[in-house]
Amino acid sequence: MTQPPPPPPQQPPQGGGFGPPQDQPPQDQPPQTPPPAAGPNLGKAPEPGYGYPQAPQAPQAPQTPQAPQTPPPAAPQTPPTPPQGYGYPQGAPAPQPPQAPQGPPGYGYPGQQPGAYGQPQQAPYGQPGYGQPGYGQQPGYGQQPGYGYPQQTMPHQPQAGQPGGGGKFNAQMAIIVAAVVAIALIIGGGVWYASSGKDDGKKDDTASTGGGTGGTDDGKGGTTSGKEKAPSDPSAKVLFQVPAPEVKNDSTVVVSGSWLTDKAYVKSGIAQIVGYDRDKGGELWKLPLSGPVCQASRHVTDDNLTAILYQPAMPTKADPSHGCSQIALIDLDAGKKLWTKTVKTGDQLITFDNITLSGKTVAVGSTSGGAAFDVSGKLLWSPKPTDSCYDAGYGGGEKLVAVRKCGSYDQRQLHIQTIDPKSGKVISEYKMTEGIEYASIVSTNPLVVAADVGDSAGDGSGISDFFSIDSKTGKLRTRISAPGEQFAARCEGITRVEACNLLAVGNDRLYLPTEEHDGTGKYSETNEIVAFDLATGKQTGQRADAGDGYTISPLRMDGGNLIAYKRPPYDKGGQIVSIAGDSFKQTMLLQNPATESVRDVETSMSPEYSEFLYAEGHLYMSKVYASKRSTVREKEYLAVGFGTS
């Protein structure tokens, strides 16, 4: 493990909305507008989390990957021996990872019940493998703050010629990147990514970006099968490509959010949302917005409604962000905005950090507290001036889970609350160990939370441990140590509590990819997906190998099966596979073309830094940022669709 980075530059206290008392105010992100004098002060600047540097430095812009004409240069005749660890090639014993210090298991039910909350939903279909660049990725382009500048920075794309998709960044890169994140948090107005698909009314399909719930037990230790079937010929072709939008003022604009319905592939653009024909890419409808999208829910209702946060006006150089104050419900079938709502503290609009949807409830969270609306537009709850704690964010999908923050920064305690949608009672509550500042909701059913305990991950991933929690009792089932040098999943958790990718939850198991390591062939690197039992915390012994030169990443659950993407080596196309929940047998669902031009487009996007959606023989990849720098290069696309015959 690397040592935690030095603290960030000192920042003056900021005024805030509702939250803890004035003597110990927490602050994860400065408010966009000053609160009324009567409101409690949130103004304590955050202490170092994971990867904060002494001074912000913007990383260099990425280069568009170019596939090499010839194989990589000569390497030793005998490939290096793969390092020992979880999921590595058979024949080499895999030692157990070091166990993180165990914190108290929690205190069970809360003493007080907060106000009314919303109701859960069934999970949607066609989830991203995030991409949504991943919910928590931190490498960056280093664009100057300005027009629609996001809270997260743009990622460095891997260079062509490097086998596989590349591992996590090192600690030095994480420090540099977190500096840009710190700047972006001050400026506000963006989202790393969010995606989803349609809910078919069953709980098999994940409602989580790059992961989520799915699968049912057959009573014999196996699981029910999914609905994604292998085609007679998995060979895919390019269905369409959406050109990158034109960006003005030499700036970076958030274009996060993508969804999949029965008829349309829906993607956010610059201050607009567009529905495209799933097979041909033609525009079906276009919904203009007054300002850029900040964040988009990855969940969709049964009748294809979803929710977004956006700015009330287009940013300018003079006013780079108007704050993410606009909450909207979108009809993905009709391409219409059904309503737009705002929440105030006194006379000031609250700027929200995250948005989710569970059943018929749209929930938004921030350092000023949380609020929620019914899909009819009725306000369900909003921050109260008397609250000594605040809802920093929510996890949606099948259930609604709040990450509630109590106490000052140096004595922070997070309460993970499963909320009853009808009565407004807290069904259960798990109190995390004091001192853990951020937590991410990986899945709401079963309830899985990720955190970087003691900033020990050391790689900017935001994960050192997973907490499997009984959502009925609030008791800790087990705690899973996931050392950053061994596993490749990521969560942000700072402002977007659902921003996790490269993982999935289903069959009461947690599926994680290992970091890349040397393969068995020359110049080859590879990795695996392994499974952890959420009841015991132990590995099940199941392992899905990517194959030499490929890097495998979980996208979502499909019933009891796991859908995964294989990022290709320099001379092949990517693949979508279905991994059986019981046997872990892989079935090819889609094989992308290996031609250089197609491969260049595919490898310009990755599950770490882009949005991935797969359903019924269709794979859609899209970016989450648009910039003037990217549009001057050839073959830059906002989205690309692949499909089998």
Side-chain angles (χ1 to χ4, degrees), residues 68-85:
Q69 300 301 318
T70 58
Q77 294 300 314
T78 302
T81 301
Q84 303 287 332

Side-chain angles (χ1 to χ4, degrees), residues 239-241 277-282:
L239 299 176
F240 62 86
Q241 296 168 326
D277 182 277
R278 285 176 43 146
D279 294 308
K280 299 179 180 179

Side-chain angles (χ1 to χ4, degrees), residues 540-561:
T540 65
Q542 297 168 309
R543 186 185 74 176
D545 296 305
D548 281 340
Y550 288 90
T551 303
I552 191 169
S553 303
L555 295 186
R556 65 174 177 90
M557 298 303 298
D558 172 37
N561 299 334

Side-chain angles (χ1 to χ4, degrees), residues 36-382:
N41 191 343
L42 289 174
K44 186 168 181 179
E47 302 293 334
Y50 57 86
Y52 280 102
Q54 292 183 355
Q57 299 179 16
Q60 298 299 314
Q63 301 298 319
T64 302
Q66 297 296 327
Q69 300 301 318
T70 58
Q77 294 300 314
T78 302
T81 301
Q84 303 287 332
Y86 281 178
Y88 292 119
Q90 295 177 352
Q96 297 298 314
Q99 296 296 317
Q102 299 294 317
Y107 304 99
Y109 286 93
Q112 284 185 319
Q113 311 293 347
Y117 290 84
Q119 96 183 26
Q121 101 176 55
Q122 298 297 325
Y125 105 112
Q127 308 307 319
Y130 266 55
Q132 243 185 348
Y135 216 16
Q137 308 318 313
Q138 303 184 357
Y141 268 126
Q143 297 289 350
Q144 293 300 316
Y147 182 86
Y149 195 78
Q151 293 174 356
Q152 292 287 346
T153 57
M154 294 190 68
H156 242 322
Q157 297 292 349
Q159 298 299 311
Q162 294 176 344
K168 295 179 183 176
F169 349 131
N170 56 30
Q172 181 179 6
M173 184 59 185
I175 292 174
I176 295 174
V177 167
V180 186
V181 173
I183 296 173
L185 286 173
I186 296 173
I187 296 170
V191 61
W192 193 248
Y193 73 90
S195 316
S196 181
K198 180 186 175 183
D199 184 355
D200 63 0
K202 301 178 182 179
K203 72 178 282 187
D204 347 356
D205 295 314
T206 176
S208 173
T209 305
T213 63
T216 54
D217 196 326
D218 65 2
K220 301 178 181 179
T223 55
T224 57
S225 61
K227 65 182 180 182
E228 301 290 354
K229 305 303 180 184
S232 56
D233 181 3
S235 299
K237 63 180 181 180
V238 177
L239 299 176
F240 62 86
Q241 296 168 326
V242 180
E246 180 181 355
V247 179
K248 301 177 181 179
N249 301 329
D250 193 22
S251 55
T252 300
V253 185
V254 175
V255 289
S256 177
S258 60
W259 305 267
L260 194 58
T261 73
D262 290 336
K263 298 179 180 179
Y265 168 68
V266 184
K267 175 62 186 167
S268 295
I270 297 179
Q272 66 179 11
I273 299 175
V274 182
Y276 300 93
D277 182 277
R278 285 176 43 146
D279 294 308
K280 299 179 180 179
E283 287 190 9
L284 301 177
W285 52 262
K286 181 183 295 185
L287 174 62
L289 300 171
S290 58
V293 173
C294 300
Q295 292 211 40
S297 172
R298 67 199 64 175
H299 307 294
V300 177
T301 66
D302 292 337
D303 49 353
N304 288 331
L305 306 181
T306 194
I308 63 169
L309 281 172
Y310 69 99
Q311 296 189 43
M314 292 300 296
T316 63
K317 288 186 177 180
D319 194 353
S321 176
H322 297 282
C324 299
S325 59
Q326 309 297 299
I327 308 162
L329 186 72
I330 307 297
D331 185 331
L332 297 175
D333 285 333
K336 295 181 179 180
K337 182 171 58 176
L338 301 183
W339 50 253
T340 297
K341 303 292 182 180
T342 59
V343 181
K344 290 185 176 181
T345 167
D347 294 330
Q348 301 296 325
L349 290 177
I350 295 178
T351 295
F352 290 100
D353 301 321
N354 54 76
I355 187 167
T356 195
L357 191 151
S358 181
K360 295 182 179 180
T361 298
V362 176
V364 287
S366 73
T367 55
S368 295
F373 294 85
D374 185 85
V375 293
S376 66
K378 177 185 176 181
L379 178 66
L380 299 178
W381 72 85
S382 61

Side-chain angles (χ1 to χ4, degrees), residues 286-575:
K286 181 183 295 185
L287 174 62
L289 300 171
S290 58
V293 173
C294 300
Q295 292 211 40
S297 172
R298 67 199 64 175
H299 307 294
V300 177
T301 66
D302 292 337
D303 49 353
N304 288 331
L305 306 181
T306 194
I308 63 169
L309 281 172
Y310 69 99
Q311 296 189 43
M314 292 300 296
T316 63
K317 288 186 177 180
D319 194 353
S321 176
H322 297 282
C324 299
S325 59
Q326 309 297 299
I327 308 162
L329 186 72
I330 307 297
D331 185 331
L332 297 175
D333 285 333
K336 295 181 179 180
K337 182 171 58 176
L338 301 183
W339 50 253
T340 297
K341 303 292 182 180
T342 59
V343 181
K344 290 185 176 181
T345 167
D347 294 330
Q348 301 296 325
L349 290 177
I350 295 178
T351 295
F352 290 100
D353 301 321
N354 54 76
I355 187 167
T356 195
L357 191 151
S358 181
K360 295 182 179 180
T361 298
V362 176
V364 287
S366 73
T367 55
S368 295
F373 294 85
D374 185 85
V375 293
S376 66
K378 177 185 176 181
L379 178 66
L380 299 178
W381 72 85
S382 61
K384 299 178 178 62
T386 57
D387 284 347
S388 59
C389 303
Y390 66 95
D391 289 355
Y394 302 91
E398 292 184 25
K399 295 187 178 182
L400 188 62
V401 176
V403 176
R404 190 164 178 83
K405 292 193 174 186
C406 298
S408 61
Y409 181 88
D410 55 354
Q411 292 183 319
R412 179 82 73 214
Q413 187 169 45
L414 302 183
H415 298 198
I416 309 300
Q417 299 178 335
T418 298
I419 299 165
D420 183 276
K422 297 180 180 179
S423 67
K425 293 173 58 178
V426 173
I427 297 172
S428 66
E429 179 179 69
Y430 173 70
K431 295 181 180 179
M432 302 192 75
T433 305
E434 286 190 10
I436 299 176
E437 176 66 12
Y438 307 109
S440 299
I441 304 298
V442 177
S443 168
T444 60
N445 187 32
L447 180 53
V448 180
V449 174
D452 186 0
V453 180
D455 301 326
S456 59
D459 60 354
S461 66
I463 303 172
S464 66
D465 296 83
F466 291 93
F467 298 79
S468 174
I469 302 168
D470 187 325
S471 61
K472 294 181 180 179
T473 65
K475 294 182 179 180
L476 182 68
R477 301 175 66 196
T478 190
R479 178 171 168 177
I480 299 170
S481 176
E485 70 272 13
Q486 293 187 28
F487 299 101
R490 294 184 174 279
C491 290
E492 189 241 90
I494 297 176
T495 59
R496 296 175 301 116
V497 301
E498 284 188 301
C500 293
N501 73 314
L502 305 182
L503 45 67
V505 174
N507 307 321
D508 206 33
R509 293 167 184 167
L510 170 66
Y511 299 100
L512 297 179
T514 66
E515 285 286 2
E516 289 185 60
H517 56 83
D518 292 325
T520 57
K522 291 183 180 180
Y523 328 120
S524 172
E525 289 189 343
T526 189
N527 78 327
E528 301 79 30
I529 292 175
V530 296
F532 288 86
D533 189 308
L534 290 175
T536 66
K538 298 180 179 180
Q539 284 201 50
T540 65
Q542 297 168 309
R543 186 185 74 176
D545 296 305
D548 281 340
Y550 288 90
T551 303
I552 191 169
S553 303
L555 295 186
R556 65 174 177 90
M557 298 303 298
D558 172 37
N561 299 334
L562 175 65
I563 303 297
Y565 171 70
K566 290 187 177 183
R567 184 172 174 84
Y570 72 93
D571 58 349
K572 296 180 181 179
Q575 301 174 354

